[in-house]
Amino acid sequence: MAERRLRTAASVAGTVAAVYVSARLLTTLFFWIAAELSGPTSRFGADASISSLAMGWDSQWYWVIADQGYPSALPVTDAGQVTENAWAFLPLYPWLARALGTVLGGYPAGAIVLALVAGYAASVVLFLLLRGRIGETAALWAVVFFANGPLAALFQMGYAESLGLLWLFLALWALVQRRFGWLYLLVVLMGFTRPGVLAFALLLGLYGIFRWFRRRDDPLPVSHIVHIVALGALAVIVGFAWQVIAGIATGDPSAYLETELAWRRSWVGSEEQFVPFIAFFQAAAIWFGLWGLPSALGPVLLVVLIVGAGVLLARSPQVRRLGPEIRLWGASYLVYLLAVFFPQSSIFRLLLPLTPVAAGVAVPSSRWWRIGILVLCVAGQWVWIHEMLALGDTFFRIP
């Protein structure tokens, strides 16, 4: 039995590795073309290289954290308002990348290798998470779409996304398997890698309610109740822990919130204050105005999209096959984004945690459907690389 499990594990690891490595070769080709196309108006200049693209944009913030740590005094404008700074970024990824870089010859190498390896591990866990719900073939296709997706360049950049997705996929797998003990560690790892652990807290709350109403068909032991409540409380504590740490380190209790607001004040004005669930509607009106469309249509379209997402999660047969845990995660994360995020061009990157929900596109068994989705994924990846890296010259080309 143990030997059979070992062979199965090796087969899964090898199959996913073949998918992932081929996808990374394609991304490398796209990086090379983007470096050749980069010109003097690009953020990366006319002498861009694959390595400079890989360490561009927010990768630089993580590098600053690894090299210099976090500022003890918040940088401010002449008017006294907090400006963009390292407190917006969580520490686990740059710390691990720095440790790995001591072996590999420098932080950039450590950052890229960590992103690459975490992306592969996340692909393996995604397959394991989905296999029991949609079958091996569809699960493998979901991995193909994930590894070649529009945001797949992040697996080869100094970003924390792939590490954050690894912890998330592991946490969802543990929840599906009801291995609650693992979640105590994974919640902490998620909470100090990428923002979003409060969405997982909401998921645990919804999951507990779901299990309670189904307790006659699916028994809910007291031990499960204790775990769900304790993990939900832990996720809330971890979710606010970085704000407390930033406040203590800088002497300003609002340090983290003011830092996050610094990224949106150029859009909405210097007097902007955080109000939950308002930012998406503000941004919708702003973007429609920038596109030359009536600003009032933006919030209307946003409401349509929210309703559509709700219907998709509740009624789509393909999504329903993914199971209640993944569907509840999709709902929880969307609520979290609506509550706290101001959508800019980085919104596509912020949607990556919805990957398990998006795996529903792999369920239809038509070969041409799956090939068509793969073509769209690869095309989207090139568009993203071209816009954000080859061009990278204006406010809507910031990843």
Side-chain angles (χ1 to χ4, degrees):
M1 180 68 70
E3 184 179 352
R4 180 181 300 175
R5 288 179 179 176
L6 186 61
R7 287 200 303 267
T8 300
S11 176
V12 169
T15 301
V16 173
V19 170
Y20 188 76
V21 170
S22 62
R24 300 288 63 76
L25 291 174
L26 178 61
T27 300
T28 302
L29 174 62
F30 286 165
F31 268 47
W32 178 79
I33 297 172
E36 292 296 308
L37 292 176
S38 181
T41 60
S42 167
R43 180 183 180 89
F44 300 94
D47 58 347
S49 64
I50 291 176
S51 58
S52 66
L53 297 184
M55 290 302 296
W57 295 109
D58 285 353
S59 301
Q60 295 292 308
W61 282 113
Y62 289 114
W63 196 350
V64 166
I65 293 166
D67 187 49
Q68 304 173 20
Y70 292 90
S72 57
L74 294 172
V76 295
T77 65
D78 293 338
Q81 291 187 318
V82 176
T83 63
E84 294 92 341
N85 66 85
W87 282 109
F89 301 88
L90 293 160
L92 187 57
Y93 172 77
W95 288 354
L96 291 177
R98 181 180 63 185
L100 189 58
T102 61
V103 179
L104 299 177
Y107 177 82
I112 301 306
V113 170
L114 179 57
L116 277 167
V117 173
Y120 166 67
S123 299
V124 173
V125 178
L126 181 65
F127 175 81
L128 297 176
L129 172 65
L130 298 172
R131 179 176 59 179
R133 298 291 173 85
I134 61 177
E136 289 197 3
T137 300
L140 185 59
W141 272 101
V143 171
V144 171
F145 301 152
F146 175 61
N148 291 278
L151 279 296
L154 294 173
F155 301 141
Q156 295 173 228
M157 296 180 70
Y159 274 65
E161 261 67 19
S162 55
L163 187 62
L165 291 173
L166 172 60
W167 305 142
L168 171 63
F169 296 169
L170 281 169
L172 290 173
W173 176 85
L175 187 63
V176 169
Q177 299 295 322
R178 299 180 181 176
R179 299 188 180 185
F180 297 106
W182 286 99
L183 286 171
Y184 290 94
L185 173 61
L186 289 167
V187 163
V188 175
L189 293 174
M190 282 193 293
F192 289 96
T193 302
R194 285 285 304 150
V197 74
L198 288 175
F200 203 82
L202 178 57
L203 163 64
L204 289 166
L206 295 176
Y207 174 77
I209 295 171
F210 173 80
R211 291 285 306 277
W212 175 261
F213 280 106
R214 295 193 70 251
R215 65 190 184 278
R216 292 183 179 178
D217 300 320
D218 180 8
L220 180 61
V222 173
S223 61
H224 285 197
I225 296 175
V226 171
H227 279 306
I228 293 168
V229 172
L231 286 165
L234 176 63
V236 171
I237 292 170
V238 172
F240 288 103
W242 191 242
Q243 297 185 39
V244 175
I245 292 170
I248 293 172
T250 62
D252 182 350
S254 62
Y256 178 75
L257 182 59
E258 290 298 316
T259 296
E260 289 290 353
L261 289 175
W263 260 271
R264 69 172 71 172
R265 283 188 172 132
S266 61
W267 291 79
V268 295
S270 60
E271 301 303 317
E272 169 70 3
Q273 299 296 318
F274 175 71
V275 179
F277 297 104
I278 294 299
F280 257 85
F281 291 95
Q282 288 178 316
I286 290 171
W287 278 104
F288 266 63
L290 289 172
W291 294 332
L293 299 172
S295 297
L297 286 180
V300 173
L301 179 60
L302 178 60
V303 170
V304 172
L305 290 174
I306 293 171
V307 172
V311 171
L312 187 68
L313 287 169
R315 306 297 298 176
S316 168
Q318 292 79 17
V319 176
R320 290 176 68 87
R321 280 192 58 183
L322 298 170
E325 298 86 356
I326 291 176
R327 292 165 61 210
L328 290 174
W329 164 249
S332 300
Y333 188 70
L334 287 173
V335 169
Y336 168 79
L337 281 185
L338 286 169
V340 305
F341 185 63
F342 183 88
Q344 304 168 37
S345 55
S346 59
I347 182 63
F348 302 106
R349 178 166 57 87
L350 272 292
L351 293 175
L352 268 176
L354 292 174
T355 294
V357 181
V361 301
V363 172
S365 58
S366 166
R367 177 184 301 178
W368 290 111
W369 167 264
R370 288 168 171 167
I371 291 174
I373 295 295
L374 178 58
V375 169
L376 291 176
C377 285
V378 172
Q381 181 182 169
W382 167 245
V383 169
W384 191 89
I385 291 173
H386 179 261
E387 293 293 310
M388 306 299 175
L389 303 181
L391 298 181
D393 56 359
T394 189
F395 68 94
F396 58 83
R397 291 185 176 129
I398 301 176

